[in-house]
Amino acid sequence: MAAVASGLYVGVRCRLCLTLTGQWTGLCGKAPSRFYSGSATLPKIEGANVTGIEEVVIPKKKTWDKVAVLQALASTVNRDSTAAPYAFQDDPYLIPTSSVESRSFLLAKKSGENAAKFIINSHPKYFQKDTAEPHIPCLMPEYFEPQIEGISEAALKERIKLKKVRASVDMFDQLLQAGTTVSLETSNSLLDLLCYYGDQEPSADNHFQQSEKSEELEEAIEENNEKSKKAGHQFGVTWRAKNNAERIFALMPEKNSHSYCTMIRGMVKHRALVQALNLYTELLNNRLHADVYTFNALIEATALSMNEKLEDKWNKILELLKEMAAQKVKPNLQTFNTILKCLRRFYSFGRLPALQTFREMKAIGIEPSLATYHYIIQLFYQHENPSKGSSLIIYDIMNELKGKKFSPKDPDDDMFFQSAMRVCSVLRDLELAYQVHGLLNTGDNWKFIGPDHRRNFYYSKFFSLLCLMEQIDVTLKWYKDLIPSVFFPRSQTLIDLLQALDVANRLEVIPEIWKDSKEYGHGFRDALKEEILMLMARDRHPPELQVAFADCAADIRSTYESQDARQTAPDWPANALNYIAVLFLRGGRIQEA
Amino acid sequence: MFPRVSAIIPLRLLSPFPLCPGGSEAPAAAIVRLGAPHGTVRTKNEVHRYFGTNNVICNKKDEQSAPTRDMSKETETQESVKENTKKDLLGIIKGMRVELSTAKVQTTRPPNRRQLKSIEATTGRLHKVPEDAPKKRTKSLGPELVAAAAAVADVLPFDKQMTKSELLRQLQQHEEVSKAQKDGERAKISVSNIISDMKIAKSSTARVSTRPVHQIQFDEGSNDYVGQKKTNDLKKSLRKNILKGKRLNIFDLKAVTEEAPETETAPSLWDVEFAKQLAEVNEQPLQNGFEEMIQWTKEGKLWEFPINNEAGPTSISAHSIKRLPNL
């Protein structure tokens, strides 16, 4: 077992070395021009002397950070639209052909890494050999068990650091029983831990699992379009009355504002809204000040409380803001984003307050993030009904955003592009869609496209809009560019493309599209096949085209047959039979007809 | 597409509508030609087109045609409809809305040989409306808007005068709407309902006026973006500006920007977790090999490039080796 484990470890290391050398030779082989451009930048980076005409001005030697060269090289590489994304292995069997496959391949890769890490961390004593010079800390096993035994404050601190909720609560209780007082700071950090995780253990800190769960939850949430999402794996953890946090809070001999604040934040996070508001009044009674995060939490609590009218809620939020100004607490971006997020639930009542909030934010000088615009868009375009007095605010927003580069400031930043593209497709405005896409491609904004399903949604909407409204040549160019390297089309997207081809009278492209559809796993979608057959069979075409169409029809027929072999009740749609027969006749393949 | 379908369904009552005899030959031929080559799937579109041009023909003949009949239920929500001409106009605008939504079905899929027909159809409609435009100039437009409208009218190859007056009329309506919305008083709920009705008509007409621009540009093969830009400028000036308007006036700029002495506390668990969430927002799979190497360098798995021989502690102590100066 030890040998195997160490073999695994060494294998991992060797793979790293090999890939390093492999990358470099591959680079030299594939793209010599790029390599030269990289090396051409090297002398400049070394800070060479610049000889002026009259005098020699020696500039200060620039210090570059350690990734500068690599970043310069990376910026020269553009996306290759004929290749699969880099994250996949470049092997014909390992290149995904549908979105389901791409997701499972990525999951497989990540789970392999996680499995390796898990093994290393659960048996650290087998992985102590360290031959890397200099030492690579992240490859060494991590320690998750508390080392300090015995009852002491240091032990408590360690357990808090390791995020062991139960163990730290036990330790705290033991300390109290032993009579030693716990310092305010430590108890505050214990309260933090309890409030953040809602008195439960944090889920096994497995990043990919977390993001997967939060993705599923996101989909459910987006369908419902109701609740705000926070730390997906905590969704559904409710604040039990008299749980450990409250108990410890009551036990603490002295409480400062931090204690109150963290309790309030924890309560709001776990949806104990009334208690949070009550605690806030207690805080005020004790003449303590809340910080900006607490105010954010309180605003959310006010907005989510169930039993009041919208106007009352809005007035209460305004009062909170005024208290904030009175206590000289500076609002931050999260304050305004929280307000806008809660205004979404107010439907059309929230439009005017939202604009007022937005202007306030700009007036104070807080730069809005993408999430701000996302909330505004959602508020104004909530229902998919385009003719109901659709607001024109999206144009204003796009004018504002032209050419700006963003950095992540709010966890909801990555939802902007999806909602913007949804609005474009609802409004059927291709210009606007191009603007949105241009914004996506400025600087590093492409990173805000979000996880897989959001990216797919964005591109499917974009492409459908292109099929609908753009000239067919441009559409075909986009088709070659985007598919399959950026996203895999759904069958509806392909049907849209076929209709666009039909409209533009370019039916000769159909056999290619059929081949592509088979590749992407749509070979068994009846709607798609019927559409293709119908388009081919509708008119008479020049003879070469007929032959191509007849081949295509034979292909489709074979897919029907193989499908029938699997199902018990063979059921060829009547239309399809018609079309196939007609096409065969025209193609001169009378036998098969 | 489906809201439009539901709007069309009331028009199905008109199906046994006789083709107005003596109508011009081209539209009649258009109907025939439109009907012919479609298969079963296209019946819905075809029916829409049929009704579209059909309404054009009949509206050319009679004022009180079927569209107004069906839109009568909407006339009751209008206010200040005192004059009979105004009622007719609004009715025709509602009728135009329905037709224009059918026209949208046409224009979004313009086949090559049908583009001309649809342009003729829209021409017909645009010509029809200014015939009975009421003199409802309550407010005046800004001069640059008028100039922009004139420029747009110049670009479109229709009758310049009529398109200009048509556009000006639309601008008027839009001005009313945008001003009413800028006040943003919720007390005027009834007004805003009515204005939103008007806005429906306006926005769809505004859209029609840009569609033919697109088509014509493609038809003539000219890369003339001037016309398009002018409509964009129009759009810009007409939009309710997101930045102008009332704000909450709760926070004071000075009070907010003054630097309060902040006590340096260690980042709490909340801050750490929030920072982690933020970092996740921007995460995307690596795009190429260089990015993978950047990732490894940051994690410490890869040596920095250019190679730095002194990085990190080594097992051999620094003093015991004679070194040459690093070149």
mmCIF file of all heavy atoms in Angstrom, chain A residues 533-543 545-547 549-550 579-590 593:
data_model
loop_
_atom_site.group_PDB
_atom_site.id
_atom_site.type_symbol
_atom_site.label_atom_id
_atom_site.label_comp_id
_atom_site.label_asym_id
_atom_site.label_seq_id
_atom_site.Cartn_x
_atom_site.Cartn_y
_atom_site.Cartn_z
ATOM 1 N N LEU A 533 -35.821 16.553 -43.219
ATOM 2 C CA LEU A 533 -36.423 15.832 -44.336
ATOM 3 C C LEU A 533 -37.422 16.712 -45.064
ATOM 4 O O LEU A 533 -37.487 16.729 -46.294
ATOM 5 C CB LEU A 533 -37.132 14.590 -43.807
ATOM 6 C CG LEU A 533 -36.174 13.480 -43.379
ATOM 7 C CD1 LEU A 533 -36.941 12.390 -42.692
ATOM 8 C CD2 LEU A 533 -35.456 12.954 -44.585
ATOM 9 N N MET A 534 -38.176 17.453 -44.307
ATOM 10 C CA MET A 534 -39.180 18.275 -44.935
ATOM 11 C C MET A 534 -38.538 19.314 -45.820
ATOM 12 O O MET A 534 -38.978 19.559 -46.951
ATOM 13 C CB MET A 534 -40.018 18.937 -43.829
ATOM 14 C CG MET A 534 -41.228 19.655 -44.335
ATOM 15 S SD MET A 534 -40.909 21.352 -44.710
ATOM 16 C CE MET A 534 -40.442 21.945 -43.140
ATOM 17 N N LEU A 535 -37.474 19.917 -45.337
ATOM 18 C CA LEU A 535 -36.826 20.945 -46.132
ATOM 19 C C LEU A 535 -36.246 20.357 -47.400
ATOM 20 O O LEU A 535 -36.289 20.971 -48.462
ATOM 21 C CB LEU A 535 -35.707 21.595 -45.317
ATOM 22 C CG LEU A 535 -36.202 22.545 -44.230
ATOM 23 C CD1 LEU A 535 -35.030 23.008 -43.405
ATOM 24 C CD2 LEU A 535 -36.896 23.726 -44.845
ATOM 25 N N MET A 536 -35.717 19.156 -47.273
ATOM 26 C CA MET A 536 -35.111 18.587 -48.474
ATOM 27 C C MET A 536 -36.155 18.179 -49.478
ATOM 28 O O MET A 536 -35.954 18.264 -50.682
ATOM 29 C CB MET A 536 -34.270 17.368 -48.083
ATOM 30 C CG MET A 536 -33.011 17.769 -47.359
ATOM 31 S SD MET A 536 -31.831 16.464 -47.294
ATOM 32 C CE MET A 536 -32.630 15.321 -46.244
ATOM 33 N N ALA A 537 -37.290 17.720 -48.955
ATOM 34 C CA ALA A 537 -38.259 17.119 -49.877
ATOM 35 C C ALA A 537 -39.173 18.142 -50.513
ATOM 36 O O ALA A 537 -39.950 17.812 -51.397
ATOM 37 C CB ALA A 537 -39.104 16.089 -49.130
ATOM 38 N N ARG A 538 -39.066 19.371 -50.059
ATOM 39 C CA ARG A 538 -40.126 20.289 -50.444
ATOM 40 C C ARG A 538 -40.083 20.683 -51.910
ATOM 41 O O ARG A 538 -41.083 20.760 -52.577
ATOM 42 C CB ARG A 538 -40.042 21.522 -49.576
ATOM 43 C CG ARG A 538 -41.379 22.089 -49.290
ATOM 44 C CD ARG A 538 -41.230 23.170 -48.313
ATOM 45 N NE ARG A 538 -40.151 24.035 -48.739
ATOM 46 C CZ ARG A 538 -39.605 24.926 -47.941
ATOM 47 N NH1 ARG A 538 -40.021 25.015 -46.715
ATOM 48 N NH2 ARG A 538 -38.634 25.693 -48.376
ATOM 49 N N ASP A 539 -38.919 20.979 -52.382
ATOM 50 C CA ASP A 539 -38.861 21.425 -53.781
ATOM 51 C C ASP A 539 -37.962 20.513 -54.570
ATOM 52 O O ASP A 539 -37.183 19.742 -54.020
ATOM 53 C CB ASP A 539 -38.253 22.831 -53.855
ATOM 54 C CG ASP A 539 -39.081 23.810 -53.089
ATOM 55 O OD1 ASP A 539 -40.304 23.772 -53.241
ATOM 56 O OD2 ASP A 539 -38.482 24.588 -52.341
ATOM 57 N N ARG A 540 -38.048 20.688 -55.845
ATOM 58 C CA ARG A 540 -37.109 19.971 -56.698
ATOM 59 C C ARG A 540 -35.829 20.764 -56.772
ATOM 60 O O ARG A 540 -35.826 21.970 -56.757
ATOM 61 C CB ARG A 540 -37.703 19.840 -58.102
ATOM 62 C CG ARG A 540 -38.866 18.893 -58.085
ATOM 63 C CD ARG A 540 -39.100 18.370 -59.489
ATOM 64 N NE ARG A 540 -39.603 17.013 -59.441
ATOM 65 C CZ ARG A 540 -38.822 15.948 -59.555
ATOM 66 N NH1 ARG A 540 -37.537 16.080 -59.740
ATOM 67 N NH2 ARG A 540 -39.331 14.744 -59.479
ATOM 68 N N HIS A 541 -34.750 20.050 -56.873
ATOM 69 C CA HIS A 541 -33.450 20.719 -56.864
ATOM 70 C C HIS A 541 -32.605 20.167 -57.991
ATOM 71 O O HIS A 541 -32.899 19.114 -58.542
ATOM 72 C CB HIS A 541 -32.742 20.451 -55.527
ATOM 73 C CG HIS A 541 -33.318 21.241 -54.406
ATOM 74 N ND1 HIS A 541 -33.106 22.576 -54.254
ATOM 75 C CD2 HIS A 541 -34.125 20.863 -53.392
ATOM 76 C CE1 HIS A 541 -33.740 22.991 -53.179
ATOM 77 N NE2 HIS A 541 -34.367 21.981 -52.646
ATOM 78 N N PRO A 542 -31.540 20.872 -58.335
ATOM 79 C CA PRO A 542 -30.662 20.320 -59.373
ATOM 80 C C PRO A 542 -30.134 18.955 -58.971
ATOM 81 O O PRO A 542 -30.023 18.650 -57.799
ATOM 82 C CB PRO A 542 -29.511 21.346 -59.473
ATOM 83 C CG PRO A 542 -29.675 22.235 -58.314
ATOM 84 C CD PRO A 542 -31.088 22.211 -57.930
ATOM 85 N N PRO A 543 -29.803 18.139 -59.958
ATOM 86 C CA PRO A 543 -29.565 16.715 -59.724
ATOM 87 C C PRO A 543 -28.444 16.385 -58.750
ATOM 88 O O PRO A 543 -28.576 15.470 -57.957
ATOM 89 C CB PRO A 543 -29.259 16.151 -61.114
ATOM 90 C CG PRO A 543 -29.389 17.251 -62.076
ATOM 91 C CD PRO A 543 -29.880 18.462 -61.374
ATOM 92 N N LEU A 545 -27.497 17.978 -56.245
ATOM 93 C CA LEU A 545 -28.025 18.229 -54.910
ATOM 94 C C LEU A 545 -28.966 17.125 -54.496
ATOM 95 O O LEU A 545 -29.000 16.693 -53.353
ATOM 96 C CB LEU A 545 -28.740 19.570 -54.923
ATOM 97 C CG LEU A 545 -28.779 20.309 -53.599
ATOM 98 C CD1 LEU A 545 -27.394 20.340 -53.016
ATOM 99 C CD2 LEU A 545 -29.255 21.717 -53.853
ATOM 100 N N GLN A 546 -29.726 16.639 -55.467
ATOM 101 C CA GLN A 546 -30.659 15.562 -55.171
ATOM 102 C C GLN A 546 -29.910 14.333 -54.681
ATOM 103 O O GLN A 546 -30.357 13.649 -53.770
ATOM 104 C CB GLN A 546 -31.450 15.182 -56.427
ATOM 105 C CG GLN A 546 -32.469 16.232 -56.832
ATOM 106 C CD GLN A 546 -33.508 16.433 -55.756
ATOM 107 O OE1 GLN A 546 -33.912 17.545 -55.483
ATOM 108 N NE2 GLN A 546 -33.937 15.365 -55.142
ATOM 109 N N VAL A 547 -28.776 14.074 -55.330
ATOM 110 C CA VAL A 547 -28.012 12.897 -54.904
ATOM 111 C C VAL A 547 -27.556 13.078 -53.469
ATOM 112 O O VAL A 547 -27.668 12.181 -52.631
ATOM 113 C CB VAL A 547 -26.812 12.682 -55.856
ATOM 114 C CG1 VAL A 547 -25.916 11.612 -55.318
ATOM 115 C CG2 VAL A 547 -27.312 12.336 -57.230
ATOM 116 N N PHE A 549 -28.893 14.876 -51.238
ATOM 117 C CA PHE A 549 -30.053 14.771 -50.360
ATOM 118 C C PHE A 549 -30.465 13.325 -50.178
ATOM 119 O O PHE A 549 -30.869 12.902 -49.095
ATOM 120 C CB PHE A 549 -31.224 15.558 -50.944
ATOM 121 C CG PHE A 549 -31.115 17.033 -50.692
ATOM 122 C CD1 PHE A 549 -32.050 17.895 -51.228
ATOM 123 C CD2 PHE A 549 -30.093 17.559 -49.937
ATOM 124 C CE1 PHE A 549 -31.966 19.249 -50.997
ATOM 125 C CE2 PHE A 549 -29.994 18.908 -49.701
ATOM 126 C CZ PHE A 549 -30.946 19.767 -50.239
ATOM 127 N N ALA A 550 -30.364 12.567 -51.251
ATOM 128 C CA ALA A 550 -30.773 11.173 -51.125
ATOM 129 C C ALA A 550 -29.844 10.416 -50.182
ATOM 130 O O ALA A 550 -30.289 9.603 -49.369
ATOM 131 C CB ALA A 550 -30.805 10.512 -52.498
ATOM 132 N N TYR A 579 -41.299 11.855 -46.879
ATOM 133 C CA TYR A 579 -40.185 12.629 -47.390
ATOM 134 C C TYR A 579 -39.065 11.724 -47.885
ATOM 135 O O TYR A 579 -38.455 11.984 -48.913
ATOM 136 C CB TYR A 579 -39.641 13.561 -46.301
ATOM 137 C CG TYR A 579 -40.634 14.574 -45.824
ATOM 138 C CD1 TYR A 579 -40.740 14.883 -44.484
ATOM 139 C CD2 TYR A 579 -41.470 15.221 -46.721
ATOM 140 C CE1 TYR A 579 -41.641 15.819 -44.054
ATOM 141 C CE2 TYR A 579 -42.374 16.148 -46.292
ATOM 142 C CZ TYR A 579 -42.460 16.451 -44.955
ATOM 143 O OH TYR A 579 -43.346 17.374 -44.533
ATOM 144 N N ILE A 580 -38.838 10.692 -47.122
ATOM 145 C CA ILE A 580 -37.733 9.815 -47.522
ATOM 146 C C ILE A 580 -38.043 9.195 -48.872
ATOM 147 O O ILE A 580 -37.200 9.126 -49.760
ATOM 148 C CB ILE A 580 -37.479 8.739 -46.451
ATOM 149 C CG1 ILE A 580 -36.940 9.401 -45.181
ATOM 150 C CG2 ILE A 580 -36.510 7.722 -46.947
ATOM 151 C CD1 ILE A 580 -36.645 8.437 -44.097
ATOM 152 N N ALA A 581 -39.288 8.775 -49.012
ATOM 153 C CA ALA A 581 -39.645 8.151 -50.290
ATOM 154 C C ALA A 581 -39.466 9.133 -51.432
ATOM 155 O O ALA A 581 -38.872 8.821 -52.469
ATOM 156 C CB ALA A 581 -41.097 7.665 -50.223
ATOM 157 N N VAL A 582 -39.950 10.312 -51.260
ATOM 158 C CA VAL A 582 -39.844 11.313 -52.322
ATOM 159 C C VAL A 582 -38.394 11.568 -52.670
ATOM 160 O O VAL A 582 -38.007 11.642 -53.840
ATOM 161 C CB VAL A 582 -40.531 12.622 -51.853
ATOM 162 C CG1 VAL A 582 -40.136 13.762 -52.739
ATOM 163 C CG2 VAL A 582 -42.026 12.426 -51.849
ATOM 164 N N LEU A 583 -37.578 11.688 -51.646
ATOM 165 C CA LEU A 583 -36.174 12.006 -51.913
ATOM 166 C C LEU A 583 -35.476 10.874 -52.643
ATOM 167 O O LEU A 583 -34.650 11.116 -53.522
ATOM 168 C CB LEU A 583 -35.456 12.272 -50.591
ATOM 169 C CG LEU A 583 -35.792 13.623 -49.983
ATOM 170 C CD1 LEU A 583 -35.289 13.672 -48.565
ATOM 171 C CD2 LEU A 583 -35.137 14.712 -50.792
ATOM 172 N N PHE A 584 -35.817 9.682 -52.264
ATOM 173 C CA PHE A 584 -35.164 8.578 -52.966
ATOM 174 C C PHE A 584 -35.566 8.548 -54.427
ATOM 175 O O PHE A 584 -34.750 8.317 -55.310
ATOM 176 C CB PHE A 584 -35.526 7.254 -52.308
ATOM 177 C CG PHE A 584 -34.706 6.969 -51.088
ATOM 178 C CD1 PHE A 584 -35.188 6.149 -50.101
ATOM 179 C CD2 PHE A 584 -33.444 7.520 -50.934
ATOM 180 C CE1 PHE A 584 -34.446 5.878 -48.982
ATOM 181 C CE2 PHE A 584 -32.699 7.261 -49.819
ATOM 182 C CZ PHE A 584 -33.196 6.430 -48.832
ATOM 183 N N LEU A 585 -36.841 8.796 -54.663
ATOM 184 C CA LEU A 585 -37.286 8.793 -56.048
ATOM 185 C C LEU A 585 -36.535 9.831 -56.848
ATOM 186 O O LEU A 585 -36.061 9.581 -57.948
ATOM 187 C CB LEU A 585 -38.788 9.092 -56.102
ATOM 188 C CG LEU A 585 -39.668 7.919 -55.704
ATOM 189 C CD1 LEU A 585 -41.109 8.369 -55.643
ATOM 190 C CD2 LEU A 585 -39.512 6.803 -56.720
ATOM 191 N N ARG A 586 -36.410 11.006 -56.230
ATOM 192 C CA ARG A 586 -35.752 12.054 -56.998
ATOM 193 C C ARG A 586 -34.291 11.770 -57.192
ATOM 194 O O ARG A 586 -33.686 12.168 -58.167
ATOM 195 C CB ARG A 586 -35.891 13.392 -56.267
ATOM 196 C CG ARG A 586 -37.288 13.915 -56.326
ATOM 197 C CD ARG A 586 -37.261 15.375 -56.018
ATOM 198 N NE ARG A 586 -38.587 15.802 -55.617
ATOM 199 C CZ ARG A 586 -38.825 16.573 -54.610
ATOM 200 N NH1 ARG A 586 -37.824 16.991 -53.869
ATOM 201 N NH2 ARG A 586 -40.046 16.935 -54.323
ATOM 202 N N GLY A 587 -33.730 11.118 -56.234
ATOM 203 C CA GLY A 587 -32.308 10.840 -56.363
ATOM 204 C C GLY A 587 -32.021 9.638 -57.218
ATOM 205 O O GLY A 587 -30.886 9.192 -57.328
ATOM 206 N N GLY A 588 -33.028 9.124 -57.810
ATOM 207 C CA GLY A 588 -32.807 8.008 -58.716
ATOM 208 C C GLY A 588 -32.541 6.704 -58.000
ATOM 209 O O GLY A 588 -31.969 5.789 -58.570
ATOM 210 N N ARG A 589 -32.902 6.659 -56.735
ATOM 211 C CA ARG A 589 -32.661 5.379 -56.044
ATOM 212 C C ARG A 589 -34.001 4.729 -55.812
ATOM 213 O O ARG A 589 -34.545 4.705 -54.736
ATOM 214 C CB ARG A 589 -31.960 5.656 -54.713
ATOM 215 C CG ARG A 589 -30.537 6.166 -54.977
ATOM 216 C CD ARG A 589 -30.044 7.036 -53.883
ATOM 217 N NE ARG A 589 -29.803 6.267 -52.688
ATOM 218 C CZ ARG A 589 -28.880 6.588 -51.806
ATOM 219 N NH1 ARG A 589 -28.117 7.635 -52.025
ATOM 220 N NH2 ARG A 589 -28.725 5.898 -50.717
ATOM 221 N N ILE A 590 -34.462 4.173 -56.857
ATOM 222 C CA ILE A 590 -35.844 3.718 -56.830
ATOM 223 C C ILE A 590 -35.991 2.465 -56.003
ATOM 224 O O ILE A 590 -36.996 2.252 -55.338
ATOM 225 C CB ILE A 590 -36.325 3.504 -58.272
ATOM 226 C CG1 ILE A 590 -36.027 4.771 -59.043
ATOM 227 C CG2 ILE A 590 -37.774 3.112 -58.316
ATOM 228 C CD1 ILE A 590 -36.665 4.845 -60.381
ATOM 229 N N ALA A 593 -36.484 3.294 -52.427
ATOM 230 C CA ALA A 593 -37.786 3.893 -52.152
ATOM 231 C C ALA A 593 -38.822 2.789 -52.021
ATOM 232 O O ALA A 593 -39.695 2.883 -51.165
ATOM 233 C CB ALA A 593 -38.177 4.824 -53.271
#
